[in-house]
């Protein structure tokens, strides 16, 4: 994650809306029950996902990479009355934890949780039907996910892509030789910047989120 000063972090936390109670419990259980709890979106990023979703009021959200479902519930907060969120993850070991909180939440009927390979599930979704997408899955597949999700996204729809700063490694010359994911993300960031089908901006929040709008 990109380091910020404790003073700034404290100030940001104090001046950002607090997470709902159910998300607080999910966050705690994620840290208690998983080996990589840092993968959770967390409070600050979660409030960003929530407010962006509320601004867009999407009818259909697509999420690639569910983990324990924290970001799923944040995104669901902005769904239109008849909206749904399709969230996909192939890790069945955490399915129980996701479903526990999904079933308890007020969005239980709006969450379509699919435990499968995302590349298989993406083929079942029609083009131009997604209003908002959040990509936070295996980094080596980011170029594929971008192209496929762009087809599914309606014109004017938005895509969020997580971890694009990759602990700051994408800014260092030699890191790509040590970590293959670094080179993939470097190439991905350059690809998005040069793509005239979209508008994009990298937000330096946590590990970096690219906000993309399909023209």
């Amino acid at each position: 994650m990109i380091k910020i000063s404790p003073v700034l972090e404290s100030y940001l936390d104090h001046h950002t809306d607090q997470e709902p109670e159910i998300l607080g419990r999910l966050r705690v259980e994620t840290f208690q029950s998983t080996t990589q709890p840092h993968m959770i979106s967390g409070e600050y990023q979660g409030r960003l996902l929530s407010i962006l979703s509320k601004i867009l009021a999407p009818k259909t959200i697509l999420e690639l990479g569910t983990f324990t479902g924290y970001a799923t519930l944040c995104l669901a907060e902005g769904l239109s009355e008849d909206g749904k969120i399709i969230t996909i993850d192939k890790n069945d070991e955490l399915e129980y934890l996701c479903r526990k909180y999904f079933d308890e939440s007020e969005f239980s009927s709006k969450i379509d949780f699919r435990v499968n390979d995302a590349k298989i599930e993406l083929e079942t979704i029609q083009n131009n039907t997604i209003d908002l997408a959040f990509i936070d899955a295996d980094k080596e597949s980011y170029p594929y996910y971008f192209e496929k999700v762009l087809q599914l996204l309606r014109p004017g729809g938005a895509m969020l892509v997580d971890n694009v700063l990759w602990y700051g490694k994408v800014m260092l010359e030699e890191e790509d030789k040590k970590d293959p994911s670094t080179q993939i993300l470097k190439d991905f960031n350059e690809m998005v910047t040069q793509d005239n089908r979209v508008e994009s901006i990298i937000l330096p929040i946590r590990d970096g989120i690219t906000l993309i709008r399909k023209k």
Side-chain angles (χ1 to χ4, degrees):
M1 305 301 172
I2 300 300
K3 298 290 186 180
I4 62 173
S5 76
V7 174
L8 175 57
E9 185 172 18
S10 176
Y11 186 86
L12 293 174
D13 288 341
H14 182 70
H15 293 87
T16 300
D17 286 347
Q18 298 301 298
E19 65 189 356
E21 183 267 344
I22 187 174
L23 289 178
R25 287 189 284 110
L26 172 54
R27 180 168 48 81
V28 170
E29 190 163 353
T30 296
F31 275 82
Q32 292 173 339
S33 306
T34 69
T35 58
Q36 295 181 300
H38 64 278
M39 291 173 60
I40 195 171
S41 286
E43 297 174 80
Y44 188 78
Q45 181 172 311
R47 290 305 86 202
L48 172 67
L49 297 178
S50 170
I51 199 167
L52 285 174
S53 183
K54 288 173 181 174
I55 290 170
L56 293 170
K59 183 173 182 179
T60 306
I61 300 174
L62 172 65
E63 179 185 35
L64 305 183
T66 313
F67 190 44
T68 60
Y70 188 98
T72 313
L73 293 175
C74 292
L75 290 164
E77 292 177 29
L79 281 168
S80 62
E81 187 174 347
D82 59 344
K84 69 174 180 178
I85 179 167
I86 302 167
T87 182
I88 306 168
D89 201 305
K90 64 181 179 181
N91 183 3
D92 59 3
E93 293 182 0
L94 292 175
E95 180 181 359
Y96 80 95
L97 187 56
C98 296
R99 294 200 184 278
K100 172 184 175 180
Y101 284 91
F102 291 168
D103 290 345
E104 183 183 339
S105 78
E106 61 184 293
F107 311 112
S108 57
S109 64
K110 296 183 175 185
I111 299 174
D112 179 0
F113 181 30
R114 306 181 185 184
V115 182
N116 200 357
D117 189 315
K119 293 178 180 178
I120 295 174
E121 291 297 330
L122 287 174
E123 295 302 322
T124 69
I125 302 171
Q126 292 183 338
N127 290 350
N128 300 314
T129 58
I130 302 299
D131 302 301
L132 174 63
F134 181 46
I135 300 176
D136 187 14
D138 52 308
K139 310 314 167 194
E140 62 270 19
S141 297
Y142 267 25
Y144 171 83
Y145 292 146
F146 172 78
E147 289 294 340
K148 186 61 181 176
V149 171
L150 195 60
Q151 295 173 25
L152 304 180
L153 205 64
R154 65 165 176 80
M159 186 190 316
L160 296 159
V161 185
D162 203 9
N163 304 115
V164 295
L165 295 181
W166 203 232
Y167 307 94
K169 293 179 182 179
V170 295
M171 296 174 283
L172 304 177
E173 290 297 330
E174 297 299 319
E175 286 295 331
D176 54 332
K177 298 176 182 178
K178 303 175 184 178
D179 177 14
S181 294
T182 301
Q183 186 60 55
I184 290 170
L185 286 165
K186 279 185 175 183
D187 293 342
F188 174 78
N189 290 340
E190 189 63 28
M191 179 186 75
V192 173
T193 301
Q194 300 299 325
D195 196 317
N196 60 16
R197 298 171 296 174
V198 301
E199 300 170 276
S200 66
I201 183 171
I202 294 179
L203 306 176
I205 294 172
R206 294 188 80 235
D207 202 22
I209 302 176
T210 300
L211 173 58
I212 300 166
R213 176 185 176 273
K214 181 178 179 179
K215 293 180 180 178

